[in-house]
């Protein structure tokens, strides 16, 4: 499972777009990139997942360049309620049982 | 659909005592995971079940931790005896088997364990 590196913390203001970049230099051909969000006193929650180029859902967008050695989670117009820890994970599509290895995550603080 | 249920939400015990946590996964999810999350860190996988069989318990401290999933549904995680370093949140997650590739894991809100 590829190791990921992401900033420990980020600050933003309400209404801004936030981009959190994750490095995964050793990503393998069969690996997907997945992002989870965790609020205090709650379990992690799946946000978005992708393999290449761009993926968008109702919550976020995920940008993956052609070399796939990094990815960027984009949160449009954040609000105070987006304050949370965001985890970037990489795992193989052939990984039996979908094993995940969490890093330290990025603690996003959104200010008014 | 109902989410992953865990109980209790909080538990305070003294070191060397025993404690057990319970998890009820989402209905139909064959794969169940237990994680330990120490304050300020990401969750660390302790054990993974597929139905009632253990798939991965390589990071479970087997001298004091045990887990079972007897009927392939609910699961319990036990610590006996507890140490101070076991203070953490214990998260349960479940995931369907098969179907769409890379199905996400669904987490419960965890049990916060404090060891005095």
């Amino acid at each position: 499972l590829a190791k990921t590196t992401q900033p420990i913390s980020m600050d933003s203001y309400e209404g801004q777009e936030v981009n959190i970049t994750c490095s995964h230099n050793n990503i393998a051909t069969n690996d997907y990139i997945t992002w989870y969000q965790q609020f205090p006193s709650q379990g992690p929650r799946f946000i978005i997942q992708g393999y290449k180029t761009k993926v968008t859902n109702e919550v976020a967008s995920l940008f993956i360049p052609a070399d796939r050695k990094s990815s960027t989670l984009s949160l449009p117009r954040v609000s105070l309620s987006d304050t949370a820890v965001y985890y970037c994970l990489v795992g193989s599509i052939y990984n039996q049982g979908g094993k995940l290895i969490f890093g330290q995550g990025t603690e996003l603080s959104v200010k008014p | 659909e109902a989410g992953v249920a865990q109980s209790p939400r909080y538990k305070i015990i003294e070191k060397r005592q025993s404690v057990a946590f319970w998890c009820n996964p989402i209905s139909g999810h064959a794969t169940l995971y237990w994680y330990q999350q120490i304050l300020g860190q990401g969750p660390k996988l302790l054990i993974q079940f597929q139905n009632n069989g253990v798939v991965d318990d390589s990071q479970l401290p087997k001298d004091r931790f045990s887990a079972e999933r007897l009927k392939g549904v609910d699961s319990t995680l036990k610590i006996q005896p507890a140490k101070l370093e076991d203070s953490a949140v214990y998260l349960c997650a479940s995931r369907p088997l098969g179907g769409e590739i890379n199905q996400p894991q669904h987490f419960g809100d965890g049990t916060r364990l404090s060891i005095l």
Side-chain angles (χ1 to χ4, degrees), chain B residues 13-34:
Chain B
I13 63 172
E14 295 185 348
K15 59 183 179 183
R16 291 190 289 274
Q17 284 188 324
S18 302
V19 64
F21 314 122
W22 174 82
C23 173
N24 180 230
I26 292 174
S27 178
H29 283 195
T31 309
L32 183 146
Y33 313 79
W34 282 102

Side-chain angles (χ1 to χ4, degrees), chain B residues 56-109:
Chain B
D56 185 348
D57 63 357
S58 57
Q59 297 201 84
L60 186 73
K62 299 180 186 62
D63 57 334
R64 298 183 299 106
F65 286 66
S66 64
E68 59 183 14
R69 193 184 184 201
L70 293 176
K71 296 183 179 179
V73 181
D74 293 4
S75 176
T76 55
L77 176 69
K78 297 179 181 178
I79 307 175
Q80 180 180 9
K83 292 185 175 181
L84 292 175
E85 61 259 34
D86 299 331
S87 292
V89 175
Y90 291 85
L91 295 161
C92 179
S94 70
R95 179 177 180 267
L97 183 65
E100 191 176 325
I101 289 174
N102 273 6
Q103 293 264 15
Q105 294 184 21
H106 298 261
F107 286 80
D109 287 336

Side-chain angles (χ1 to χ4, degrees), chain B residues 9 11 21 35-39 83-91 110-115:
Chain B
R9 285 284 279 140
K11 189 73 177 179
F21 314 122
Y35 290 83
Q36 179 193 59
Q37 185 171 24
I38 293 172
L39 187 64
K83 292 185 175 181
L84 292 175
E85 61 259 34
D86 299 331
S87 292
V89 175
Y90 291 85
L91 295 161
T111 296
R112 182 175 298 276
L113 175 66
S114 297
I115 312 292

Side-chain angles (χ1 to χ4, degrees), chain A residues 31-90:
Chain A
D31 285 343
Y32 266 74
I33 299 149
T34 307
W35 286 80
Y36 280 77
Q37 173 192 54
Q38 186 175 27
F39 297 113
S41 300
Q42 294 186 23
R45 182 174 70 103
F46 171 82
I47 303 176
I48 198 167
Q49 178 175 266
Y51 183 79
K52 60 180 179 180
T53 62
K54 177 183 174 182
V55 179
T56 297
N57 62 23
E58 65 277 6
V59 176
S61 294
L62 179 60
F63 299 92
I64 305 168
D67 67 4
R68 304 201 325 121
K69 292 184 183 299
S70 67
S71 59
T72 299
L73 175 72
S74 182
L75 304 172
R77 297 182 298 281
V78 294
S79 63
L80 295 176
S81 62
D82 292 315
T83 294
V85 178
Y86 293 82
Y87 294 98
C88 165
L89 301 101
V90 171

